Structures are given as C-alpha cells and as structure tokens.
Amino acid sequence: MINQTKLLIGTVGLALLVGCGDKEATVTALTENAGSEPAVAAEASRPMAEVSQARLDNAAEQPEQWLTYGGSYDETRHSTLTKVNRDTLPELGIGWVYDMKKPRGVEATPIVVDGVMYVTGSWSVVYALDARTGEEIWVYDPEVSGEDAAKGCCDVVNRGLAVYEGKVFVGVFDGRLEALDAKTGDVIWSNVTVDQSKPYTITGAPRVIKDKVIIGNGGAELGVRGYVTAYDTDTGDLVWRFYTVPNPNKEPDGAISDEIFAKLANETWGDTGAWTTDGGGGTVWDAIVYDHVNDQVLLGVGNGSPWNAAIRDPEGNGDNLFLSSILAVDADTGAYKWHYQTTPRDMWDYTATQPMLLADLPLGVDGAPRRVVMQAPKNGFFYVLDAASGELLSADAFTDMTWATGIDENGRPIEVPGARSLDEDFVVLPGPTGAHNWHPMSYNPDTGLVYIPTNVWPLVYSHPDPDDPIKSNWNIGYREDAGWPLEIPAGGIEGLREMGGGSLLAWDPVKGEARWAVPFPVPFNGGTLSTSSGLIFQANKAGELVAYDAETGERVWAHGLVGGPGAAPMTYEVDGEQYVTILSGWGSTIAMVYGVVFEEAVAAETGRVITFKIGGDGVLPKPLENGIARTPKSDPIGNEALHTEGLKLFAGNCQWCHGAFAISSGVLPDLRWSAMTSSDAAWDTVVRDGALSARGMVGVGDRLTKEETDAIRAYVVKQAWDAVARGEATAPAAPSVSAN
Ligand code: CA
C-alpha cells in the first residue's frame, strides 16, 4: 500500500488560500432566552455552575455530573453510571436534540453541572441548556470574524469549556479567553491572550486549577511561538506564563520558563533559521491536564514551525526543546518540573498535544500501583510515564509506521534515516493527521484498557526545490505539491479512499499491546467514553453512535445521527435518569481537506447536541440535501503546463479549506461548480480582491500574481471537466443555435 501511496497522495502543501470561513448560513440573529421560560432558569435563586475546588478534586465521585473537559482531573472519561447497560441499551433512544446557531465542525465535550449543560459549538459560541430537555437557557456568541477564521488550520472548531464558582470559561478562536456569568452568559472579563497580528488561534478547552484558568493556543502551521498562560479566575490577571520554545534571541522573556531555557532548552536550538523569524511552533492547543496527586500541570506540546527541521534550524542538530514533548510544570507557579520529548527535533508535525490521561497501573515494585500518565501522540507510539518523575516506563507502537522502528534504551525513537534526510521523497506514516489526534481516548479501570480512536493517512514529504521557491500560505517548509498528481490516479477515487482508515483500538498499557480493534474505512472517527457497565461509546464518520463491549469490542448497539460526528460522547444523570450526549455537525480537518474520502458531499449541517436516554422516542431532523448542480461553469482553460502550475498553487494555497483535488465534502463550496469560475472577472473579484472576506475568503491579490490565480482557476475548471469524464458530473447543455 505504501508504494502506491506515494503515487496517490501527498498533501504537503496543505495550505489555505482562504480562512475556511463562510458565515453564509449564520445570518440568523442569536436570541438570548428565546422561547418559554426554561425550568432551570426559573429557579432564580438557584446558583449555577457552583463548582468549588473540592468538587473538582472529587469529580469522579459525582458521576451524575460531568464537571471538567475529561470528566475528572485525571481525564479518563470513565463514568461509573450504570443505568445504561447491556439490558437497557435496546431502549436507548433520542431524548432531545438542540440545534446550535451555526454550522461547521463541532468537537466539544459538554460540561454538566446540577442539571445544566454548558457546551461550545463552532465559531466559539457558548450554549447553556437544560440538561433534561435541551431547552435553551442562554447563548453567547463572541462574534469571531470571517477574517479571523483565515488564521486557522483546521476549521473554526472549539473543544470545550471550564466552569468554576459561577463562571464559565471559553477560549475564543481569535485568541481571547473569556469568563462568562454562568447564569446569564454575560461577559465578566475578556482577555486577549495572543498577538492578534499573528496567526494564533484557540480551539482547546481551558482548565481550571485552584483559582487559575489555564489556556494555550494553536497556529504552528502558519508560524507562531507556543506558550501556556494561567490567569486569575476572578480578575483575569496573568499569574504565570510558560513558553515552550525559546525566543529568537534566546533572551529571557521575564516568564517562569526563563530558567529552564537558560539551563537546558536554548542550547538545543541553533542561532539561525526559520524558527528565529517564524516562532518555532510548540503550541499547546489541546492537552492541559492537572495531576492533583503531584500538584502539577501536564502540557502536551505541539510540532515545530516550520515542520522541516532542516529549514527551521539549519545549522543546529539539537532536539529543539520543548517541541513534541510532555511537559510537567508546577500548578501554582508554572515552574518547570520535568519533560519527556516524544519526537526530538520534530520533522513531521508529530505533536504531543494529544489527550493525556492519568491512572494507577500495576507497574510499581512487585506489581504495586504506580501513578502514570499515558499518551498516544501523533507519532504512533503509546507512552506510559511515571507521573511524579516523567520516567519513561514503556513506549510501544500502536499503529503501522514508516518513520521509526522502535524506541531505544535512552527513550529516543530509532528513526528510519530516509524519513529525515528526504534524499528522496519519503512516504511518512503516520502522516500529519497523526495515528491519533485530538479525539479523546478513555480508560476503563475494570478492563485495564485504553480505548483509542486511531487514524491511518500517510503523506509524501520532500524538500523544497531550491530553484522553485515555495509559494504557500502555510509555513511548513516542504514542497507543496509533493506527491500530488495532476490526474486522479489509476484506481480512481475508490483507490484514494482505500489509502485512509482508522480503528477503535483497545490497548493494554501494561503489556504494551492491542487487545482488540474495530477497523473503519475513514480516519478521524470520534472520541470515546467508557462506563462501568462495560460499554465503550463512540461516534463514527458513517454517522452513527455505537456502543461496544469493553472486553471484546463486540458491537452491541448503534443509533444513526445526522451530520458528521467527531466529538467524544459523555454521560450524566439528572433526577435519576441517565443521559448520553454526542455532538454532531459537519466540518473539521478531515471533512475540509479530504472531501475525496467521503462517498458524497453533504450540505453543511448545523452543529447539534444529540442526547439519548432510556425510553427516548425523539426523532432526528432530516439531513440537508446537497442540491448543488454538478456542472462546470466554464469551458476548459489552458494546457497541461498551466494545469500543473495551478495544481501546485492550489495545493499550496487552497486545498486545506476547499479540498484536495478541488473536491469538497460540502463544508465549504466545491469550487468546481462555483459560478466564480465562469469568468476571469468573477474569479478575480473573489480570489484576488477578497469580495467575500467577511465570510473568511480573504483575497490573495497581495501575494499571488494574476497569472498565478488564473492558473488556479484553470486547474479547478480542469477538475470539473475531469469529473464529467468520470461520469460524476454533467456537462452544461450546449447553447441552442438560435441563442446566438
Ligand atoms: Ca500541527
């Protein structure tokens, strides 16, 4: 498969011309407290989100609630609720459905406190709902702009919230961190946590620890410097900040990270190279986990910026700390405690940002319990570390890989030389989508297994051609058209679909081996929820929520959803009834760039909160139809040379939002059928002049020449006519003779 892969794909130029915007479907005004008076809000004297530190510390003992992003500080996503079990599953049906206000990808895990659900959707919108009925209590829209959407790599998603002492905390896509009144959704304080002139974004859930709310950021694909900040929950004042890579001069920042940089990290970077101008990366965009036993915060640190280490740090040969590391810092001060680097001198977008969970495993002396942190990062190894010291206890491959053959006695990966030298194009597996991405895994202490949503999607990496400079909005340092063929290769779209896949993997972290796996045809299936009734819940890209037997992987229940789910399910109980909730929508990375892997494009469904309960007899809304006429809007343009130029520029600037091969899964317009392709003038208005910038389609006239954008149009039109030739679209009707 790998050799074939090389011919088939390669999305090294995963760049975006536009901001993956399109707020077209979002014009509906948001109304607060719409409809009749909700039952919960009516209890006016009742405090909301009354979550104390003691309550957070003991979250696992209150399974009726879901008080933090990962269900408890240990983030095992294991619930001891058992009313939903093998006997009652046949009666599990739709309890209620809430339509969010905006379409696009939804990735969040809701929080439930005392019968109220707090949840985020796309565009960082926050919703408070009655957890029993789905009735809306309030909605807060931070009004992220289409232009801000242009700064994102991976859709305008948000993974969740934190709640504490009557406040709800949200990280907003444009870099704000906001504290909302849990009763009303009113903003109590709002901090801009990033330099908004740079391509920073926030998609991750904040975490609250002892009067501090902690948030990171993203943007390493586009060129930023990563850091994590703790703010006072009451005032929003900055308490500490830890940078994950040195500043370009290796001088102190006046931050708590200064000491360890002087002592350890500065020397792992050279003095020149793209990192000194582009930030170096190392963004902490997802995992921030509080280890309450050791009173430390575990940070999952992201990839280098640019990805290609030979360009990022050409004179050095150091590890580039703290890229791709698990980093432990003191919860009160942010002071460095320990780190473990999963991928020294990252070369392949191998973030260690993936979800981490904490548990006691029988790995102490004579099998005594030992507190460990576990992570399955993008690079394909499952790591078990001693939580107190960071000592590596085991690292085993949980997926096929081409970049490394194992981990040596020093805890470093044994690399396959060609994967780094790139003397020839190299098919790297796992690709940058990772063997595991942000989709949460769970741990069941009864089975001792970790349930991981895994991905398979390789990528061709090749150094840029020195005679043909990269022209891409992304900043990754590889040849943007590497591996991309002008024609869809032999085997067709079906063949391309076979390239990707994934699984629900039950992993034994003590033995370091898989127990069972359920394969999927498409990567980026949902996160997992484990329960004490021996069930694993997961939604998949086929559009269903499924329950599996935790011991065997047997599929024991399934229910269809509407839209494309990718989030993790969660569960809670109110008034003696257990509920299971999953979010669905249509968007996120896989839906935007890899439209080609889906059987057929769908319309951009609004985000939804779908909640199941025993005896639920609710009905799901009908899926929207994608009624776009699949007809080219222009006669073919240009020759093969022009198309090849257009392919390269499309791969470098457009495909991350509009889809590889110009094939969209329906999240954003499929450019092949767009009226914008009908003429030079129409194309220029949008692509060069930015007529639709408010929707996120930022004009590129300042960085691509007219000849270049014309070449992109010629390529898109060719892709439309190629679809006609494959029988997937219809040619426009010939003009009648009399029309002339
Ligand atoms: Ca990345």
Side-chain angles (χ1 to χ4, degrees):
M1 184 193 90
I2 295 304
N3 289 335
Q4 189 190 18
T5 302
K6 181 166 178 174
L7 300 171
L8 294 182
I9 66 145
T11 55
V12 166
L14 304 175
L16 77 172
L17 170 75
V18 309
C20 303
D22 193 31
K23 294 175 89 176
E24 193 164 21
T26 66
V27 291
T28 316
L30 300 188
T31 52
E32 293 194 4
N33 298 318
S36 58
E37 181 94 334
V40 173
E43 296 165 30
S45 61
R46 179 175 169 179
M48 283 174 68
E50 200 177 45
V51 176
S52 62
Q53 185 59 41
R55 226 177 154 187
L56 287 175
D57 288 338
N58 298 301
E61 279 77 63
Q62 307 156 70
E64 309 79 27
Q65 321 290 335
W66 191 279
L67 295 180
T68 71
Y69 176 68
S72 67
Y73 273 143
D74 286 353
E75 305 215 1
T76 57
R77 292 176 179 264
H78 176 78
S79 170
T80 52
L81 296 180
T82 55
K83 283 178 181 159
V84 173
N85 55 47
R86 288 291 286 266
D87 294 333
T88 58
L89 269 177
E91 282 97 60
L92 191 64
I94 303 289
W96 53 265
V97 179
Y98 175 80
D99 283 9
M100 291 173 158
K101 307 296 183 188
K102 297 187 171 183
R104 303 284 288 272
V106 284
E107 299 184 348
T109 307
I111 280 175
V112 169
V113 189
D114 303 331
V116 180
M117 176 181 289
Y118 304 92
V119 60
T120 48
S122 55
W123 300 94
S124 318
V125 179
V126 185
Y127 304 82
L129 310 173
D130 185 322
R132 290 166 288 202
T133 62
E135 203 167 350
E136 187 178 297
I137 300 169
W138 52 258
V139 178
Y140 168 67
D141 183 355
E143 295 181 352
V144 172
S145 72
E147 286 88 348
D148 281 320
K151 298 175 184 170
C153 67
C154 308
D155 202 0
V156 285
V157 292
N158 186 285
R159 282 181 295 280
L161 302 160
V163 294
Y164 187 63
E165 295 184 342
K167 297 188 189 73
V168 176
F169 300 92
V170 58
V172 179
F173 195 79
D174 59 17
R176 283 175 279 167
L177 176 69
E178 300 196 314
L180 312 178
D181 184 325
K183 271 197 172 176
T184 61
D186 293 340
V187 177
I188 295 173
W189 56 257
S190 175
N191 269 352
V192 175
T193 71
V194 300
D195 176 349
Q196 289 180 312
S197 72
K198 299 204 164 90
Y200 282 105
T201 52
I202 296 180
T203 58
R207 310 300 204 278
V208 167
I209 299 153
K210 297 190 288 183
D211 300 329
K212 291 176 287 294
V213 53
I214 301 180
I215 192 74
N217 44 54
E221 270 61 65
L222 291 93
V224 299
R225 179 185 181 206
Y227 56 88
V228 173
T229 317
Y231 296 93
D232 183 286
T233 51
D234 270 335
T235 62
D237 292 343
L238 192 150
V239 181
W240 56 255
R241 175 167 287 174
F242 195 104
Y243 288 92
T244 54
V245 298
N247 78 35
N249 304 314
K250 301 185 184 176
E251 284 167 358
D253 294 295
I256 191 67
S257 38
D258 287 351
E259 192 182 334
I260 193 64
F261 279 108
K263 198 170 147 190
L264 191 66
N266 283 344
E267 67 190 36
T268 67
W269 295 78
D271 292 326
T272 63
W275 81 272
T276 63
T277 54
D278 301 347
T283 50
V284 179
W285 53 261
D286 196 49
I288 298 173
V289 178
Y290 178 49
D291 173 4
H292 64 285
V293 172
N294 296 297
D295 199 22
Q296 62 190 2
V297 185
L298 302 168
L299 308 174
V301 184
N303 55 278
S305 180
W307 293 355
N308 188 341
I311 290 175
R312 186 174 69 237
D313 179 21
E315 68 175 46
N317 196 31
D319 288 346
N320 290 176
L321 290 171
F322 293 97
L323 296 182
S324 306
S325 299
I326 297 170
L327 188 57
V329 302
D330 182 89
D332 293 319
T333 65
Y336 170 91
K337 291 184 75 173
W338 56 258
H339 79 278
Y340 174 78
Q341 190 173 37
T342 60
T343 310
R345 199 171 170 80
D346 168 48
M347 184 83 179
W348 311 278
D349 190 24
Y350 281 167
T351 65
T353 52
Q354 279 57 52
M356 288 181 260
L357 52 81
L358 289 149
D360 287 339
L361 295 185
L363 292 170
V365 178
D366 296 330
R370 186 164 185 178
R371 186 166 171 80
V372 302
V373 55
M374 294 180 259
Q375 190 189 47
K378 279 188 180 180
N379 76 11
F381 289 99
F382 189 96
Y383 295 90
V384 182
L385 308 180
D386 182 276
S389 67
E391 178 191 345
L392 177 67
L393 303 179
S394 66
D396 297 282
F398 64 92
T399 184
D400 291 340
M401 60 177 68
T402 63
W403 76 282
T405 55
I407 303 291
D408 70 16
E409 66 273 19
N410 299 312
R412 297 175 68 91
I414 304 161
E415 293 181 3
V416 175
R420 183 176 291 279
S421 69
L422 301 181
D423 294 331
E424 294 176 16
D425 292 0
F426 197 95
V427 180
V428 177
L429 186 70
T433 49
H436 175 218
N437 207 298
W438 59 267
H439 311 77
M441 58 187 195
S442 57
Y443 170 71
N444 182 328
D446 306 327
T447 62
L449 300 174
V450 179
Y451 301 91
I452 315 166
T454 76
N455 306 313
V456 177
W457 196 270
L459 180 73
V460 180
Y461 284 81
S462 45
H463 286 306
D465 178 351
D467 299 326
D468 188 9
I470 300 169
K471 197 134 191 189
S472 165
N473 193 31
W474 269 35
N475 179 26
I476 58 179
Y478 289 111
R479 213 178 72 215
E480 63 266 49
D481 62 333
W484 275 110
L486 187 56
E487 310 278 349
I488 287 187
I493 287 179
E494 287 302 321
L496 286 172
R497 286 188 186 126
E498 283 169 20
M499 306 284 317
S503 72
L504 168 59
L505 183 69
W507 182 260
D508 184 331
V510 175
K511 291 183 178 162
E513 63 185 29
R515 177 79 61 84
W516 53 259
V518 175
F520 297 119
V522 176
F524 269 45
N525 297 281
T528 65
L529 165 71
S530 163
T531 77
S532 285
S533 46
L535 297 174
I536 302 301
F537 287 89
Q538 184 197 29
N540 59 44
K541 278 283 177 281
E544 53 184 8
L545 179 66
V546 182
Y548 300 92
D549 184 295
E551 289 281 4
T552 65
E554 181 196 354
R555 179 180 159 119
V556 294
W557 174 88
H559 196 295
L561 301 169
V562 62
M570 51 78 72
T571 188
Y572 60 95
E573 192 173 302
V574 190
D575 300 337
E577 261 191 309
Q578 186 182 351
Y579 299 82
V580 177
T581 292
I582 181 76
L583 268 54
S584 83
W586 190 234
S588 86
T589 307
I590 186 78
M592 298 190 83
V593 70
Y594 299 124
V596 67
V597 307
F598 296 98
E599 293 287 327
E600 95 186 72
V602 299
E605 292 285 349
T606 195
R608 288 194 177 88
V609 185
I610 301 176
T611 295
F612 292 82
K613 67 173 186 176
I614 296 161
D617 57 1
V619 179
L620 288 170
K622 269 199 164 146
L624 297 172
E625 281 181 28
N626 186 325
I628 306 295
R630 301 166 64 87
T631 304
K633 300 299 187 295
S634 163
D635 291 337
I637 306 164
N639 56 19
E640 187 178 339
L642 187 67
H643 297 153
T644 301
E645 176 70 2
L647 154 73
K648 178 177 160 154
L649 290 162
F650 188 91
N653 296 279
C654 317
Q655 71 183 5
W656 196 243
C657 295
H658 287 286
F661 296 102
I663 296 173
S664 170
S665 72
V667 181
L668 289 186
D670 192 315
L671 298 181
R672 295 173 299 168
W673 326 124
S674 168
M676 304 304 164
T677 60
S678 64
S679 74
D680 225 20
W683 186 254
D684 282 0
T685 304
V686 173
V687 177
R688 298 189 54 74
D689 304 340
L692 299 179
S693 64
R695 288 193 206 160
M697 176 59 212
V698 177
V700 297
D702 57 343
R703 56 188 187 81
L704 296 184
T705 66
K706 173 149 170 57
E707 288 68 32
E708 288 170 331
T709 56
D710 284 350
I712 294 173
R713 178 176 162 235
Y715 169 72
V716 169
V717 171
K718 173 184 161 49
Q719 293 306 96
W721 283 98
D722 281 1
V724 172
R726 290 194 304 269
E728 296 162 3
T730 50
S736 66
V737 177
S738 62
N740 211 357

